[in-house]
Amino acid sequence: LRDDWGFKGIVMSDWGAVHSTVPSILNGLDLEMPTNVHLNPEAVKKALAEGEIKESHIDAMVRRYLWTLIVSGIMDGKSKEGGAIDTPEHRALARKAAAESLVLLKNEKDALPIAKKTVRKIAVIGPSADKARIGGGGSAQVIPFYSVSPLEGLRKSVGKDISINFSPGIVALEDTQPVPSENLRTPDGKENGLRGEYFANQNFEGDPAFVRTDEQVNFRWATGSPAEGFPADKFSNRWTGQLVSPVDGKYSISLSSNDGGRLWIDDELTVDVWGDHATLTGTALIEMKANVPRRIRIDHYESIGNADIVLGWRLLEEDLIGKAAETARNAEVAIVFTGLSDAVEAESRDRIDLNLPKDQVDLIKAVARANPRTIVVNTSGAPVLLGEWIDDVEAVVQAFYYGQEGGNAIADVLFGKVNPSGRLPATFPKRWEDSPAYGRFPGDGNKVEYTEGIFVGYRWFDKEQIAPQFPFGHGQSYTNFTYSKLRVKNNNGEFEVSFEIRNTGKRAGAEVAQVYIGQVSAGVPRPERELRAFKKIFLQPGKKTQVSIPISVSDLGYFDPSNRSWTIAFGKYRVSVGSTSRLIRFSQEVELKLPIEILENLEN
């Protein structure tokens, strides 16, 4: 980082990632975040006194601090100029970026785009239809000024011309609302709300600093304090009392916390999101009887940084899947919005498998039986298994987490205002057994070994000759493209890959041309091919263009662990141009021979 790349700034840790003093300093760490558990004055002085580190190490750390302060202008008291935020231009950019990120995985019988002139009723179904799934959980969570759900975006797009009938089908357990005060009681049952005890330490030690009745557990203190004169960090809270339901039924109950949170119902641990982390949500199903109180206890602690704690719930309706199927049966098109959420894909926890929740799979199948023209829009940050239901539906769109304008962007793509051009940044496997993590994850609970080595992602599928559900780089369009006239030119050791692309369809659209390179006969294990460049090309119907993509010598390098350096091997390489890692349009072999001056530069 510093010797080869010339980096002069500070190197800081991820939150809680430091586990040593001397090794961290000797290996170049400057700043431990968010606290100084290991790089504190006492530990550093002890290491100096025992000769494990030198003053020169500390001098270098300080020098990098000062350099950063100087070049950023902080040392001179300079502040950044103010700017605009949440402008119309920002909103337009968010919408454009979201639309271009959507990936059309499947489109049989030209189910998409939906022609507004040909339909009058559309069924919109699923737990991710009326909620804007804008990002992951924990430190991935960003709260924008507003967000547009798919249901809202579709309704805006069609106006009054098309009837959109919504049915949730199922309820995601994390989609709850804060429990109202009237459904909470103090331990003696005499007041609404819960008894809150606030401790000026993280471990509930000693007597609480103060006790009060809180109407709800719905707090977002951020970096502030729960009360005047009370610390903003390193505190803990405990709420006790009763939970009362107005009706019989099943409830989804949730606890969201930053940092640790635990929820007990009738002395049974029901939700556990304990630990140092940004906001995480845990959920559970509980049975409630009307007006029969259940004992409730919530423990929460805050380490350093933001703090929040929210107790939520939601009454679950009966036979939602049957109602959704009936809604689909009475429509010309059914769109099912499935996927995960920031409660499932978040820091500090792993997904337990690659499946969609079983009730979502059941929902897709029920809707597809009711309406043969069923389209699935899936939201997730990483691959999910689709094989159990993909043959039952006509079209599938992978929406990932689409940000604040996602609902409008999804409508733009589904109705053809935007031709999809997103491409998969990961391989979607057919089975969990095909994943390189199979047999290794979750390990022993503390350690997972990545034994695939350099064969990460699509490289593993190529090496093992496994057919994926959808390969890396995959993404369909509402138009078609042809490739021709490939030429690879070696310009003094630098490759120039050129070819021609033509839009042979009837719609304007963008193709993402991908250049893969593999060494023909490598002396060390190397992938069959690796993505080295890509380019998005927008073309009107019937138009063509010449594409030229440069490939530098460094793009051919690989890391040699025997000498801990990047190495460039001379010899024959196969240059391939394709639309995915598996759909290769054409290939050409070239030989890498560098002139003396380039060899000397590489050695230097």
Side-chain angles (χ1 to χ4, degrees):
L1 177 67
R2 294 189 173 113
D3 295 339
D4 295 344
W5 296 351
F7 180 71
K8 297 179 180 180
I10 63 171
V11 174
M12 66 186 242
S13 76
D14 195 0
W15 270 229
V18 179
H19 301 282
S20 68
T21 301
V22 174
S24 295
I25 292 174
L26 294 180
N27 284 280
L29 185 71
D30 299 313
L31 176 61
E32 177 185 3
M33 293 298 291
T35 58
N36 58 348
V37 175
H38 297 281
L39 299 191
N40 57 68
E42 292 75 20
V44 173
K45 286 178 181 178
K46 181 175 182 291
L48 279 169
E50 296 178 356
E52 295 178 297
I53 61 173
K54 301 176 181 179
E55 285 191 15
S56 59
H57 291 120
I58 309 302
D59 290 341
M61 294 166 71
V62 174
R63 188 175 294 111
R64 290 189 285 266
Y65 275 119
L66 294 174
W67 183 89
T68 303
L69 292 171
I70 291 168
V71 299
S72 65
I74 295 175
M75 186 71 79
D76 299 324
K78 296 178 180 177
S79 60
K80 294 182 179 179
E81 295 182 2
I85 192 170
D86 192 33
T87 66
E89 291 79 12
H90 290 155
R91 296 183 174 198
L93 179 59
R95 184 169 181 165
K96 182 176 186 292
E100 291 200 18
S101 75
L102 300 182
V103 180
L104 180 60
L105 296 180
K106 174 183 177 180
N107 193 23
E108 289 185 351
K109 301 179 181 178
D110 292 327
L112 291 174
I114 301 169
K116 293 181 181 179
K117 294 181 179 180
T118 63
V119 297
R120 286 294 170 264
K121 288 184 179 180
I122 297 177
V124 176
I125 294 165
S128 294
D130 62 337
K131 302 290 181 181
R133 310 290 189 194
I134 63 173
S139 290
Q141 188 178 67
V142 177
I143 301 175
F145 288 96
Y146 70 94
S147 58
V148 181
S149 71
L151 180 61
E152 183 182 356
L154 291 169
R155 283 177 170 163
K156 284 181 181 178
S157 180
V158 301
K160 297 180 180 180
D161 297 333
I162 298 174
S163 174
I164 289 186
N165 300 315
F166 170 64
S167 180
I170 59 172
V171 175
L173 295 185
E174 62 271 19
D175 290 338
T176 58
Q177 297 294 324
V179 179
S181 179
E182 58 262 30
N183 300 112
L184 300 171
R185 295 177 187 166
T186 53
D188 59 12
K190 294 180 179 180
E191 293 182 74
N192 286 121
L194 296 178
R195 170 187 167 91
E197 300 173 89
Y198 291 75
F199 299 82
N201 59 76
Q202 290 184 218
N203 304 310
F204 309 93
E205 295 173 348
D207 295 328
F210 64 91
V211 178
R212 71 187 184 194
T213 297
D214 289 318
E215 292 186 358
Q216 292 178 282
V217 179
N218 182 22
F219 298 106
R220 293 176 175 84
W221 294 300
T223 56
S225 169
E228 186 175 352
F230 190 76
D233 289 314
K234 296 186 179 298
F235 63 81
S236 52
N237 325 75
R238 174 170 290 145
W239 291 272
T240 53
Q242 302 172 3
L243 180 68
V244 184
S245 166
V247 296
D248 292 353
K250 290 183 178 179
Y251 280 78
S252 169
I253 192 161
S254 68
L255 187 70
S256 300
S257 72
N258 178 344
D259 291 293
R262 284 178 175 147
L263 167 67
W264 285 265
I265 302 291
D266 291 337
D267 302 322
E268 180 179 345
L269 183 60
T270 304
V271 176
D272 189 351
V273 284
W274 203 250
D276 287 6
H277 50 68
T279 304
L280 290 179
T281 300
T283 63
L285 278 175
I286 61 172
E287 291 274 359
M288 299 290 293
K289 295 292 185 181
N291 300 313
V292 177
R294 300 190 65 177
R295 290 189 307 280
I296 185 171
R297 170 182 155 192
I298 301 167
D299 281 2
H300 169 254
Y301 81 86
E302 161 61 7
S303 178
I304 289 179
N306 289 344
D308 54 65
I309 180 82
V310 179
L311 173 68
W313 74 346
R314 182 172 180 174
L315 177 64
L316 302 181
E317 298 179 47
E318 299 292 335
D319 194 28
L320 286 178
I321 290 182
K323 295 175 183 177
E326 186 61 26
T327 302
R329 190 173 291 109
N330 293 320
E332 294 150 281
V333 181
I335 309 172
V336 184
F337 288 87
T338 63
L340 309 177
S341 72
D342 57 6
V344 178
E345 292 185 305
E347 68 167 347
S348 302
R349 63 173 62 171
D350 292 307
R351 287 165 54 186
I352 60 174
D353 56 42
L354 296 181
N355 300 310
L356 284 176
K358 182 180 181 302
D359 53 2
Q360 294 193 27
V361 174
D362 293 341
L363 174 64
I364 294 171
K365 286 181 166 292
V367 171
R369 286 193 297 268
N371 190 325
R373 192 179 179 188
T374 293
I375 297 158
V376 173
V377 179
N378 184 67
T379 298
S380 64
V384 296
L385 298 180
L386 314 176
E388 192 175 350
W389 51 266
I390 193 167
D391 291 337
D392 300 329
V393 302
E394 291 189 346
V396 181
V397 174
Q398 175 66 22
F400 298 102
Y401 293 119
Y402 38 68
Q404 64 187 48
E405 280 284 342
N408 289 329
I410 289 171
D412 290 342
V413 168
L414 295 185
F415 291 117
K417 183 178 179 180
V418 173
N419 192 341
S421 60
R423 299 295 183 264
L424 287 182
T427 302
F428 276 48
K430 288 183 176 180
R431 312 178 305 157
W432 161 230
E433 291 82 357
D434 293 339
S435 167
Y438 178 73
R440 302 164 181 85
F441 175 83
D444 63 4
N446 295 309
K447 182 178 179 181
V448 178
E449 293 191 17
Y450 292 77
T451 55
E452 68 267 37
I454 64 169
F455 297 97
V456 177
Y458 65 90
R459 303 166 186 84
W460 167 269
F461 287 81
D462 289 345
K463 175 178 176 289
E464 300 297 320
Q465 297 183 339
I466 298 171
Q469 185 78 61
F470 293 109
F472 174 85
H474 172 80
Q476 295 186 23
S477 170
Y478 296 153
T479 189
N480 299 299
F481 298 90
T482 59
Y483 290 65
S484 62
K485 301 180 181 179
L486 172 68
R487 190 174 75 131
V488 182
K489 185 178 179 182
N490 190 341
N491 295 324
N492 294 324
E494 302 286 323
F495 292 146
E496 182 182 53
V497 181
S498 62
F499 48 91
E500 189 174 278
I501 289 184
R502 182 189 295 270
N503 182 347
T504 59
K506 298 180 180 180
R507 291 177 177 266
E511 170 72 334
V512 180
Q514 302 160 39
V515 179
Y516 294 85
I517 297 181
Q519 193 174 354
V520 174
S521 298
V524 295
R526 298 286 302 275
E528 179 181 340
R529 53 179 167 261
E530 295 180 276
L531 180 71
R532 291 307 190 192
F534 62 90
K535 193 170 186 178
K536 178 176 282 191
I537 303 101
F538 183 86
L539 289 171
Q540 294 292 334
K543 298 296 182 180
K544 65 179 180 180
T545 190
Q546 186 73 19
V547 180
S548 179
I549 301 177
I551 302 293
S552 69
V553 173
S554 61
D555 288 331
L556 307 180
Y558 65 93
F559 190 80
D560 187 346
S562 64
N563 57 24
R564 297 178 62 84
S565 66
W566 288 90
T567 300
I568 297 171
F570 306 127
K572 289 185 178 180
Y573 287 82
R574 181 174 293 106
V575 179
S576 303
V577 177
S579 301
T580 77
S581 64
R582 289 296 177 93
L583 180 55
I584 301 301
R585 303 287 186 158
F586 35 48
S587 299
Q588 180 179 324
E589 286 191 6
V590 295
E591 188 163 4
L592 178 61
K593 293 181 179 179
L594 299 184
I596 297 299
E597 61 269 20
I598 292 183
L599 286 172
E600 292 174 347
N601 290 335
L602 288 172
E603 290 171 357
N604 291 334

